[in-house]
Amino acid sequence: SKNTTASGNDATSALTADQVKIALVPGGPHPYFQPWKAAGQQAKQEFGLGDVTFNETSGWDQTKQNDVLKSLAAQGYNAFGIFGVSPDNINSTFQDLTRQGFQVASIASCPAGTTDDASFCLATDVEAAAYKAAKAAIAAMGGQGNLVHLTGNKVDSNTQRRMDGVQKAVDETNGKVKLVQTITDIDIDLQTAQRSVADLLAARGTDIQGIVNTAYNPAVASAAAVKQSGLPIKVVAIDDDPTILAGIKDGSVAATVAQNPVGQATVGSYALMKLAEGCTMTTPGVTIDSGSFVVSSDNVDSYDQERQAETTKLRQDFDDKYLSCS
Amino acid sequence: MGEATLTSAPAAPPQEDSTTPSGLPWWANPRVGLLVVIVALVILFSALRPSFLNVDLTLVPMQADLSVFAIVGLAQLAVLSLGHMNLAVPRMAAVSAFAAGLTYDRLHAPLVVGLAVALVVGALIGALAGTIITTTGVNSFVVTLALDFGLLGLVSLLYAWATDGVAFAVHPAGMDALRFDTMNNYCAGPVCGPPVPLVVPIALVTVVAVGVLFRRSRVGREMLMTGSSLRAARLSGIPVTRRIIQAHALSGLLCGLAGFLLAINNGAFSATIGDQFLLPSFLAPVLGGTLLAGGAVSVLGTVLGATLTSVIQKGLNLLQFQLDQLQILIGVVLLLALSLDRVRHVLAERRGVRR
Amino acid sequence: MTSTTETAAVATQPRRSRLLGTEVILIAISVIAFVVLTVTTGGNLLQPGTIRAILQYLAVPLVIGLSQMVVLAVGQMNLSVGVLTGLSSVVAAGLMVDSGLSPWIAVPAALLVGAGVGLANGVLVVLTRINGFIVTLATMTIIAGLRYGVNGTGTYEGYSPGLVKLGRASVLGLPVVFLIALVVAIAVALYFRNTFSGRRLLASGGNPVAARLSGISNDRSLVVAHTISGLLAGIAGVLVLMLSGSVNASIGDDLLLPSFAAPIIGGVVLAGGVVSVLGTCLAAFVVRLVDVAQAQYNINPRWVDLVVGGVVLGAVLLSHGREGKDDS
Amino acid sequence: MRLRAQGLVKMFPGVRALDGVNLDLRPGTVHALLGENGAGKSTLIKVLTGVHRPDAGVVEVSEDDATWAPVTFGKPQDATAAGIGVVHQERNLVPRFSVAENIALQSMPRRHGVVDKSAMRALASRCLQQLDLHLDLNRPVAELSVAQMQLVEVAKALATDSRVLLLDEPTSTLTSQEADRLYAVVRRLRDDGACVVLVTHKLDEVFAIADTVTVLRDGRSVAEGRALSELSRSDVIDLMVGRSFADLQPDPTPPKDRSGIAALELAHVSTSVGHEDVSLTVHPGEIVGLYGLVGAGRSELARALLGLDDITSGSVLIRGQEARIRSVADALHRYGMGYVSENRKEEGVFLEQPVTRNVAVTVWRRLSAWGMVRDRSESVLLDTYVDRLGIRISGHKQLAGQLSGGNQQKISLAKWLAADCSILVIDEPTVGIDVRTKASFHTLIAELAAKGLAILLITSDLPEMVTLADRILVMHDRQLAGEVDNVAHDYAASSRQVVRYMHAEHVA
Ligand SMILES: Nc1ncnc2c1ncn2[C@@H]1O[C@H](COP(=O)(O)OP(=O)(O)OP(=O)(O)O)[C@@H](O)[C@H]1O
Ligand SMILES: Nc1ncnc2c1ncn2[C@@H]1O[C@H](COP(=O)(O)OP(=O)(O)OP(=O)(O)O)[C@@H](O)[C@H]1O
Ligand SMILES: [Mg+2]
Ligand SMILES: [Mg+2]
C-alpha cells in the first residue's frame, strides 16, 4: 500500500524550503567527498533548509547504497544528491526514488549511457577533466615522450571515459607523445597503488616522461614515488587534497586537475530545493559540467577563487537556464 | 546436578535437521536462537525508529535484498556440504548475469529464457570447478580462488566485447514487473496480495527445493556423507566424484540465480554484479549453523542468517551512524548475536551433553 | 577444507614427502619464472632498482602470509589480518602526526595494537566457541570501522623521515624492509620447529583430541596463534609505514586473499597441523612475480586477471597435482 | 600407589554410561576390565584419566592402604601428574609429528621453552626399546602401519613413567607376536610394582596374563576385583552377558556345490601394489577365507578388487562375466558386491552422522522413491540390525561417533548386511567386538552364506576363520601360498596347515 510512505513524497504538492530535507550520498568513503559535509551545512544555513545530511556508509556497493537511500527516505529525507556507485545501474535507483515522488539529482558522477533519470547531473565532465590533465602532462613533458595513465576500476563507465579523454589528448600530439601504458584497478587502496607504481618505475622508469593520474590513490603514490626516485618524470595528479597541493608546492607534482566538490554540493542542494519548491527542469536529465581546473605552481594560491566564481555562475545558470519556476 | 532430569531426558523431540546432536532440548537449536535474536532486533529497531516498519521504503526492499542474499548463502552452502568452499561465487554470478544480459540483448529473448541461460551457465561453471577439483585433487579453496581471478578477467573482456561500456542496456518484458511490483499490485476483486515483492516467491521455491534436496533426497544426503568423510563415503558405495561435481554445479546454478535476481533488483545486467557476494555467502550459512567442515547444512538457518544480517544492516542504517560507528556496531551486534546463541547452547549442554 | 575426521585419515599416506615436493616445485617455478622474466625483458629484472622494487613490496605480502599461516596451523582462519595491518599503520601514523610522538613510541604501539587485537580475536574464539572464521569476520568489520575512525578518509604523510628513510634503505643491495620480513620468517620457522609453544600449536592443529589427551590446552593454542597472527599483522603495518611514507584508511584492503594464497599455495592445509614457512615465502614470491610480469610486459589490463588466474591455478596444479584425489 | 574408585556415575544424553562403578587397583597386579560393547569400559578409563568428569562418585589414592586422599582429575594432565598412564581405545597420535615427538608429547623435554631434541629422542628410544621395537624416530607416524602406531601409543604411555597403566584394547590391531611383546612389558611392569589395567575382548589373553578382574554390565560393576583363579571362562562370560550364555558356534555347514558358475573369480590377477598371479574363486553360498600375516597384502587385494588400487593384469569375473570395477559404487550398484573395510574409524563409519544414515547409506537407492528417501524406512532398517546385532544406541539420531568402539564396528557391518549384495568382501569384521556379538555375527554370516551369498572373509582371528570358512586361502607376501580345505571346521587340523603355508615360501 502506497499511502504509508514517508511524508513529503507527494510529487504534486510543492514544499517550502524548511520542509526540504536533503541527503547528500557519496558512493563510499573518499577524500573527494569530504568538502560536501561543510558545503551541505552551509547550504542548510544559507537556504533555510529543513535538513541536510551527509552519508557515506554505502561502502562502494550499489546494493548497499540503494539500501542507504531508502533508509534515508524512510527517515523523512525527500531530496537526494547522489554519487552513484555503479553508473550503469544508477538510473534504476533514480527511477525508484522518483517514482515515490522524491527529488533526485546525480552529483559528481553521471549515469552511463545517454539518459539520466535524475533531474539533472551536476558533475565534472570526467572525459574533459582527463583530457585537461593529459594536456597538462603533455605540456609539462615538453610536448613529447612517453606517457602512462593510472586510473581506477576498469569496469566503471567513468574510467572508460577517462581513458578516452587521455587518448584524445595523446592523439592530438600526432604521435609525438605515446601512451605506453594504462594501469587500471589500482585505486582500491594505497598499498596497491604504491606497489604498482614501484613496479612501473622499475620496469620502464627511464623511458617514461609523464604520468597522468585520474584516480586519487595512484596520484598520491606516483607523486611520492617519482619524487623519491629522482627520475625526471612529470606527474599530473587529480584533486586538491592537502597532500597533492603540498606536492605542487614542492615541485614533485607538475599539476593537478581540481574538481569542484563544494560547488556540486551547494549548487546541487540549491537546485534540489528549487525543484522541491515546485520548479521543474527545462531539460530533465541535463548534464552540467561543474568545472575542472588545472592547478600548477603558478595558480596554486589563486585557483580557488576561479572555482568559487564558477560556482556562483553555476547557480546563476540554474536560475537562468536550467530551472523553470512558475 | 539433578539426576531426575537426566534419567528422564526426553528421547530427543522431533528434530528439524541433522545438525543438532541428539539429546539437546529444542531451544538449543541454533535456528530458534537466531529467530529470537531477529525478533528482538526487529522490536528494538522498530521502537527506536518506527520507520523500520515502513512498507515501501523498508520492508519491501529488505525482502528483495534478502531474497538475493539468502540464495547467495545457499550457493555457498551447496559446497560447504562437502566441506569445500567456493570463492568464485561473485564471478560465477557475474558471468551468469552476463549470459542472461547477452541473451536479452542479442536474441531479444523473453525473461524466462534469460533466466534459464543464467542458470545453465552458472551450473556449467560450477561443474567445471568441481571437475578440476576432483581430477586434480587440489583444494577447492585454491581452485575457486584462481577461477575467480580468471573469470574476473573474462567478465571484463566479455563486457568490453559485447557492450560499449560495462553493462547491457536491456529491458526484457516483465523485468520491471519483477523489479517493482509486489503481490499487492495483483488483486482478485477486492482482495490484494501482501506487500511481498515478486522475487520473494522465486527465492522461496529455491529455498524449499534446496532444503528438500539436502533433507530428503538421496543425492543431497550423499553429498553430506561425502562432506562428513570422503573416504568412508567412497567405501560406502557413494559415487563421490559425481557428487562433488554436482554440488559445485548446484553452487554455480544458485550463483546464476542470485546474479540474475540482483540484476533484476538493480535494474541492469552489469559487470559489477556479484562483487559484494563473497563475505555474505559465508556469513549467512555459518550464522545459521552450517559447519565449514562439511557434513551438515542448515538451509533454514541460512535464510535466518541472511535475515539477521539484513535486519542489522537496515536497522543501523536507519539509526544513521557515521561510517566508523556503523561498522563497529555491525561487528559488535554480530558477535553478540552469535554469543547469545552460544550461551544458550552451553546452557543446554550443561543439562545434558558433556563431551 | 577437510573435516577433522579427514585430518586423522591421513594415517596411511606418507605426507611429509608431499610437502617437501611442494617446496621443491615452488623453488623450481620461482627460478624458472625469474629466469624467463629476466631473459624476455632483456635483463631489466637484474637492474638494482628493479630487484629493490620486487623485494620491497614482497615484504608485506610475505609477513601477512605468515600471519595467516600461524592461524591456519591450528585449523583456524583470520579474516582480519588485512584491516588489522591497516589499523596498526594508521594508529602509528596518527600517533606521530597528530600527537607528535616519536617513532620509538609509535612503532611499539602499532605492534601492541596488532597483538592486542589478535589476543582479543583468540579470546573471543575460545570464550564463544564460535568458528574463528566468523569471529574474525565480525572483528574485521569492527577493525575496519576503527581504522576509518582514526583519520577518516585523510592521508597521513610526513611522519618520521627517519623511519621512512630506513624503509627505503638497502643493505648489501637488499632493502631493509625485506630483511626485516626475512628475519620475521626465520623467527616464525624457528618458533614452529624448535619451541615447545610452537610444537603445541601444531599438535593442536594436527589432532586436537590427541593434543588434549596429551595435556595440551587447545584453547591456549588458539589464543596464542591468534595473538601471534595479530602481532605479525602489526609488523606488516609497520612495514607499510616504512615503505610508503603515506598511509590512509584504505591500507590492508587488498591483503586478505593474498594472505590465504601464499600459505595455501605454499603447501599449508586448511585443516591445520601443517606449516611451511619456506613454501609460504616462495608462494608470496611467485605471486609477486606475477605483478612484476604485469608491469614488465604491459599486459592489457583486461587480460591481467585472466592471466593471473591461469598462472595461480597452473602453479597450484603443478605443485599439488600429485597429491591424489583424497584431499579434494 | 593404590587407586580406588567408588560409586562412579557418568551420564551422556540418554545413556548412563557408568552407574555406580567401584574399582580397586592394587600395586603389582594386572587387572582385567571386561564387559560387552557399550558396557562402559572406555568411559571408566576416561573418567579415571580426566577426559570426562564424573557426575558422582569419588576417586582416591593411597600410598599405605590406610590413609586415602581423594583426587579429582579435571583434565588429562592431572592424571599424568598423578602417575596414571593410558592407552585409549581410539588412536591418539599427531599424524605429522615424528615417532619421537609423539612419544614425548606429554613430557616434552625442554630448556627455556625450546624443545631439547636429543633428550626427546633419548626418551623415545628408551620407551621403544622396552617394547623391542625398532623404528626410525624421525619418521612421521602417519607413515607407520596400524600396528606400529598402536605400539607407539603404548610407548607414549610408558614415557610418562606411570605407576598405574590403563590399556584400552591395546591388542585389537596387533598380531599375536606383537601382543606377546606387549604382554612381556606388562609383566615386567607388574613385577616392578605397577598396576596395569587391561581392557580386551580376547578372553584368552585375560586368562594368560591378568590376576584380578572387574566386570561391567550396563554401567554397573557386577564383579569387583575378583581373583581370576576362582573363575572359569564361562563364569566370566556369564557375568558379562548377565545370563547363562553358551559360546555357541554356528551349525557346521554342508560342503558347497562348486560346480556352477563362480560368483566371484580372480584369474591371474596382478596389481599395482605388487600382487602377482593371484587366482581364486568364490561360489554362491561359499565362505572363502583369506588368511595371512599382517602386511601379507590381503586388504590390498580386496582394495584392488574394488577399484581403489589398480589391477594391472589378469581378469576379474563376476558370475562368469568379465567385470571392470572402478569404485565401490560400481561394485555395489553394477555388480552387487559389498566391502566391509578393516579401517572402521576412517572408512567404516561417518562419525559425525546419525546412526540411521550410517546404516542406510548403502541402501538409499532402494529406500527412495523419485530420488527422495523416507525417514521411516531408514528407521525400520536400523531397528532390524539393532536387534540382530545387538547394537546399543540411545536413539536414532545418535551420532555414530558417540557409540562405543564395538558398536561402531557393528554399524559398519550393518550397512553392508543391509545392502543386499550377492558378494561380500569382509575385512577384519570382529575387531573390538564382544563375545556375544561375535557369536551372533558368526551365525549371521553362516545364514547369509546359506542363503546363497558368496563371501570372501579376511580375518586375522584364526579361530574365527576356522569357525566360518569353507576353504582358507593363505596369502604370503602378496601371493597365494596355499589352500586349506576347512569343511570339517576342525581347529587343530586346519590351523596347523594354515600356519605351515604361512611360513612356507612357495607351494608348487
Ligand atoms: N561422547 C559420548 N556421547 C554420548 N554417549 C557416549 C559417549 N561416549 C560413550 N557413550 C555411550 O556410553 C556407553 C558406554 O560406552 P563405552 O565406550 O564406555 O563402552 P565400552 O565398554 O568401552 O564398549 P566397547 O567394548 O565397544 O569399546 C555407550 O552406550 C556409548 O554409546
Ligand atoms: N609391519 C609392517 N611394516 C611396515 N608396513 C607394513 C607392515 N605391515 C603392513 N604394512 C603396510 O601396510 C599395508 C598392509 O597391507 P594389507 O593391509 O593389505 O595387509 P593385510 O594382509 O590385510 O594385513 P592387515 O592384517 O594389516 O590388514 C601395506 O601397504 C604394507 O606396506
Ligand atoms: Mg571401549
Ligand atoms: Mg588387512
Side-chain angles (χ1 to χ4, degrees), chain D residues 298-299 342 427-428:
Chain D
R298 299 163 299 164
S299 302
E342 65 181 331
D427 200 351
E428 308 287 3

Side-chain angles (χ1 to χ4, degrees), chain C residues 221-234:
Chain C
S221 297
L222 291 180
V223 173
V224 170
H226 274 286
T227 309
I228 296 178
S229 172
L231 177 66
L232 291 175

Side-chain angles (χ1 to χ4, degrees), chain B residues 279-348:
Chain B
L279 287 182
S281 79
F282 283 102
L283 195 52
V286 179
L287 269 177
T290 296
L291 305 174
L292 291 178
V297 299
S298 170
V299 172
L300 185 57
T302 302
V303 175
L304 291 175
T307 312
L308 178 65
T309 40
S310 295
V311 166
I312 294 175
Q313 181 78 43
K314 195 80 199 178
L316 294 178
N317 263 343
L318 281 176
L319 291 170
Q320 277 190 285
F321 288 102
Q322 297 287 304
L323 179 64
D324 45 348
Q325 296 163 344
L326 180 77
Q327 286 184 312
I328 293 172
L329 275 171
I330 290 178
V332 170
V333 174
L334 268 181
L335 274 181
L336 281 181
L338 287 159
S339 315
L340 276 184
D341 186 60
R342 181 62 209 166
V343 168
R344 227 172 11 73
H345 198 76
V346 168
L347 284 181

